[in-house]
Amino acid sequence: MEDARYHSASFSVRFTRPGDDEPSVLRLDEVGRGRVDQFVAGLLRAPGLPATWAEARPLLRPVLRGATPPADVSTPLSQPAMPFLAEFVVVDQPDTMTYVSAGHGWGVTDDEVFAAARANLSGAKLVGVADEPVVVQFVDDGDSYWTSHLLLDGWLAGLAGQVGGRPVAFAPERGILLVTADGSDHLPGLFAQAEAAFLRSPRAITPMAYVSGERGRTVPYSAEPGSPYWICVRRAEAVLASWGYARQAEHLPLAAELLITDDGRTRALWPENSPALLPKADEVQYGDTVRPWEEISGGLTAQGLTPERWRGETWP
């Protein structure tokens, strides 16, 4: 591959296979430790993305990832999934996993691509019934796509009998899915476990908890003030927002930083009295002044980004 280029910042290799019009991106952070040689060898043997819909359809899988794709990935096909997360589609071949681009050229709609990818998941069910709340851990061997099962409407709700109550799921990184029952003694510890795994993993997804909502669609777990889980939910939301905005800021000029305060609030830092793109936060700091978001948002303009940012020209 004469045009192959390694990008250290994103730990990836960009190249164009013979006969392909679009470059491919090999994401090394998706490879298990010690398997890089095997992964690269398999990729060089692979024929590239299937040329026809009939060839591609049985190989498609959905994946849950951060909403901001790496800067070196060439326009991947995606759609919003949950706050700061998006659904992408990959072609799953024996030794490789390749993102489907927005210009896939298969003569079908994007909705058909997403539907086919979801239909190809196993939708595996657990056996047995739990007499009391338990924790079930799904460990991915690289082919199971357990975290992707959260994209299947109704799948999470179907685990109620096996975890001993309303299922609550955590997908801190691509190889781990944790599920327990709402209200169980396990829940606070799983919030802490998920955050630790999320922060240390190069394949992080989310530290937040999720449940089955309307029509079985997976949605963020919520808790009201006064609930024993409220501070856990609030912190997880702040950690994910900080991570999502930080990834976006890597290739976005004027992007302001999002901080997490000691009491779990989020704070957008407007460093200079000049134009800035502010992340949504509980409050905004400019100079030595800190004000609630609602007090200054009227002077800001949404930019149509994912995740959204608001442009401010000068300090209020």
Side-chain angles (χ1 to χ4, degrees), residues 5-45:
R5 296 291 182 271
Y6 171 65
H7 298 265
S8 60
S10 59
F11 195 38
S12 65
V13 178
R14 185 185 182 95
F15 62 95
T16 304
R17 289 188 178 95
D20 284 0
D21 296 325
E22 292 290 330
S24 296
V25 177
L26 191 160
R27 298 291 310 284
L28 296 175
D29 62 356
E30 296 176 350
V31 184
R33 188 180 299 274
R35 296 179 58 199
V36 173
D37 288 348
Q38 176 186 351
F39 185 89
V40 173
L43 181 120
L44 294 179
R45 292 194 303 268

Side-chain angles (χ1 to χ4, degrees), residues 15-251:
F15 62 95
T16 304
R17 289 188 178 95
D20 284 0
D21 296 325
E22 292 290 330
S24 296
V25 177
L26 191 160
R27 298 291 310 284
L28 296 175
D29 62 356
E30 296 176 350
V31 184
R33 188 180 299 274
R35 296 179 58 199
V36 173
D37 288 348
Q38 176 186 351
F39 185 89
V40 173
L43 181 120
L44 294 179
R45 292 194 303 268
L49 289 178
T52 68
W53 176 239
E55 295 172 321
R57 184 171 184 168
L59 302 176
L60 301 178
R61 302 290 187 275
V63 291
L64 189 63
R65 300 287 187 265
T68 302
D72 59 331
V73 173
S74 179
T75 321
L77 178 66
S78 68
Q79 64 181 2
M82 289 165 270
F84 297 98
L85 300 178
E87 178 181 0
F88 296 82
V89 176
V90 299
V91 174
D92 183 48
Q93 294 169 321
D95 296 304
T96 65
M97 185 186 76
T98 307
Y99 283 90
V100 173
S101 67
H104 45 77
W106 288 323
V108 296
T109 66
D110 292 346
D111 287 343
E112 289 177 279
V113 174
F114 285 112
R118 291 187 181 193
N120 288 335
L121 286 184
S122 67
K125 302 297 183 182
L126 298 178
V127 297
V129 176
D131 296 328
E132 60 182 18
V134 298
V135 177
V136 176
Q137 178 169 328
F138 298 83
V139 179
D140 209 313
D141 60 2
D143 298 316
S144 303
Y145 291 88
W146 287 123
T147 57
S148 297
H149 281 66
L150 296 180
L151 297 167
L152 300 181
D153 293 349
W155 182 81
L156 182 58
L159 301 179
Q162 286 70 45
V163 299
R166 181 195 186 203
V168 181
F170 296 83
E173 63 105 32
R174 298 174 195 176
I176 297 176
L177 177 66
L178 302 165
V179 186
T180 192
D182 192 9
S184 75
D185 294 339
H186 303 294
L187 199 51
L190 285 184
F191 271 103
Q193 182 180 340
E195 179 179 327
F198 171 81
L199 292 175
R200 69 171 178 261
S201 176
R203 310 190 307 161
I205 298 180
T206 171
M208 290 176 55
Y210 299 89
V211 294
S212 187
E214 185 178 357
R215 299 179 182 176
R217 181 158 298 180
T218 303
V219 297
Y221 178 82
S222 61
E224 297 297 327
S227 162
Y229 311 120
W230 182 76
I231 190 63
C232 297
V233 171
R234 184 178 176 87
R235 176 169 176 82
E237 292 172 343
V239 170
L240 180 59
S242 177
W243 176 81
Y245 278 122
R247 293 188 70 199
Q248 183 189 59
E250 292 174 0
H251 52 89

